[in-house]
Amino acid sequence: MTTEENVPTPNSDDARADLDCLIVGGGPGGLTAALYLARFRRSCLVVDAGNSRAALIPRSRNYPGFPPGITGTDLLERLRQQASEYGARIEQGTVERIERHPLGFLVSWGGQRRIARRVILATGIEDTLPQMDDAQQAIAAGHLRLCAICDGYEVSGDNVAVYGEVECAIGHAAFLRTFSDRITVVGYGEHDACEQAVALARHHGIELIRDRVASLRACADGIELVTASGDIRRFDIIYPCLGARFRSEVARALGVDCDADGALEVDAHQQTRVPGLYALGDVVVGLKQISVAIGQAAQAATAVHNGLEANPWPGSR
């Protein structure tokens, strides 16, 4: 996938970049990449906008090594501490622009600019949440959940709704039938489900609510849903299935390949088609899991380190 481009090389053997690698995003993937690079004795800086999806996790019980589970904020703090102890630097800020540079890349954020020989993007995604006043509180309470793969086990036997475009929601609901026999799909949007999707819902005993949702409100023991016709339903848990925005804008401005949704495409070493620019975690095509992002971080950081030995500047031979 990676292509070589006509990138000028520095005119002087003494030319130096500010950093070996700049990492955009301080979620689990970005911080793990920083840890690896710091232990490879590479100079690296994490620029973190502070909006990691992991911070929304009330408690994860499927992340290996923590039998009682761990909150997203605790996991991030541990990773920040571990990376920092080996010399990785972490700064708050939102990267606004990445430009090609003879020494690698020129990265700009909050009035600052740094030249990095390599860049790793770990910018993640932003979930589309239902329109309700207290969505963040509902997430913190565990009543509004974003990933059935992560926490489906915890909803065993609960009264659960999947709210979203009908066919997509039915697919998620069928997955959740592994854990509960009380699953309802609440349709969103103008498109109806095809016969095959309806048959799948019928097969799993999934109830379909086709009436438009008028309001959603968090309550002490779940979420209250009111339809346009006035029907009131209470669910222990609602999984929104409303899509997400990939935070890939700065990469797309460089001409990186992405799929129709905006997810970045990378090779086996997590490198994009732009030499020296890597991406990992939720922002790339693939399964959205912390363990996946951490594995990709190990791949990317090792590739960055080895690549810096073989080719000091992106695009050089």
Side-chain angles (χ1 to χ4, degrees):
M1 177 182 294
T2 303
T3 61
E4 296 291 348
E5 300 178 11
N6 295 322
V7 179
T9 56
N11 296 322
S12 169
D13 291 337
D14 295 328
R16 296 179 64 86
D18 298 309
L19 301 160
D20 287 326
C21 186
L22 188 143
I23 300 163
V24 186
L31 292 170
T32 299
L35 169 64
Y36 270 66
L37 286 166
R39 287 174 56 84
F40 290 148
R41 300 190 182 278
R42 294 293 182 183
S43 59
C44 64
L45 169 66
V46 177
V47 179
D48 180 27
N51 52 17
S52 171
R53 193 179 187 223
L56 297 174
I57 301 172
R59 182 167 294 275
S60 174
R61 293 179 174 84
N62 77 327
Y63 184 71
F66 295 92
I70 185 169
T71 68
T73 53
D74 283 349
L75 177 61
L76 291 171
E77 180 54 36
R78 288 175 183 233
L79 288 167
R80 282 191 290 266
Q81 179 183 353
Q82 190 172 6
S84 298
E85 286 177 353
Y86 287 100
R89 290 184 290 136
I90 303 168
E91 291 187 12
Q92 187 79 15
T94 300
V95 168
E96 297 130 5
R97 186 175 177 83
I98 301 174
E99 305 168 66
R100 301 299 302 272
H101 186 277
L103 289 170
F105 301 91
L106 178 63
V107 185
S108 304
W109 73 96
Q112 298 192 63
R113 306 176 81 190
R114 296 288 187 277
I115 298 170
R117 297 164 70 191
R118 302 291 190 270
V119 169
I120 295 175
L121 297 171
T123 46
I125 60 175
E126 181 180 354
D127 294 283
T128 302
L129 300 179
Q131 292 185 357
M132 53 187 298
D133 294 335
D134 38 14
Q136 297 295 331
Q137 293 92 326
I139 291 172
H143 299 314
L144 190 65
R145 302 195 175 210
L146 303 178
C147 179
I149 294 174
C150 301
D151 54 31
Y153 185 90
E154 274 70 49
V155 308
S156 297
D158 286 338
N159 184 18
V160 180
V162 182
Y163 176 44
E165 188 277 324
V166 181
E167 287 194 13
C168 175
I170 288 174
H172 281 72
F175 176 84
L176 282 162
R177 278 291 281 110
T178 303
F179 310 104
S180 177
D181 59 1
R182 296 191 293 160
I183 307 292
T184 301
V185 163
V186 182
Y188 175 88
E190 299 177 356
H191 300 289
D192 205 349
C194 67
E195 292 183 8
Q196 184 177 4
V198 172
L200 179 65
R202 187 181 304 113
H203 171 76
H204 287 290
I206 296 167
E207 180 185 359
L208 297 181
I209 296 178
R210 302 173 185 270
D211 196 4
R212 183 177 62 83
V213 173
S215 68
L216 291 166
R217 183 181 65 86
C219 47
D221 56 353
I223 296 178
E224 180 184 88
L225 181 151
V226 181
T227 69
S229 61
D231 186 25
I232 299 174
R233 300 285 297 270
R234 279 189 174 86
F235 296 98
D236 299 318
I237 293 156
I238 290 182
Y239 282 91
C241 184
L242 303 171
R245 178 182 69 85
F246 287 84
R247 299 189 184 112
S248 55
E249 295 85 358
V250 292
R252 295 203 302 267
L254 284 170
V256 173
D257 292 331
C258 60
D259 68 9
D261 296 320
L264 302 181
E265 297 179 354
V266 294
D267 65 16
H269 300 287
Q270 302 302 130
Q271 188 169 203
T272 70
R273 71 178 300 274
V274 175
L277 182 68
Y278 297 76
L280 57 88
D282 287 356
V283 76
V284 306
V285 176
L287 187 65
K288 312 307 180 192
Q289 292 286 287
I290 294 175
S291 55
V292 172
I294 285 177
Q296 292 172 345
Q299 291 274 14
T302 303
V304 165
H305 172 69
N306 290 337
L308 285 167
E309 291 294 323
N311 296 298
W313 304 287
S316 64
R317 299 280 183 177

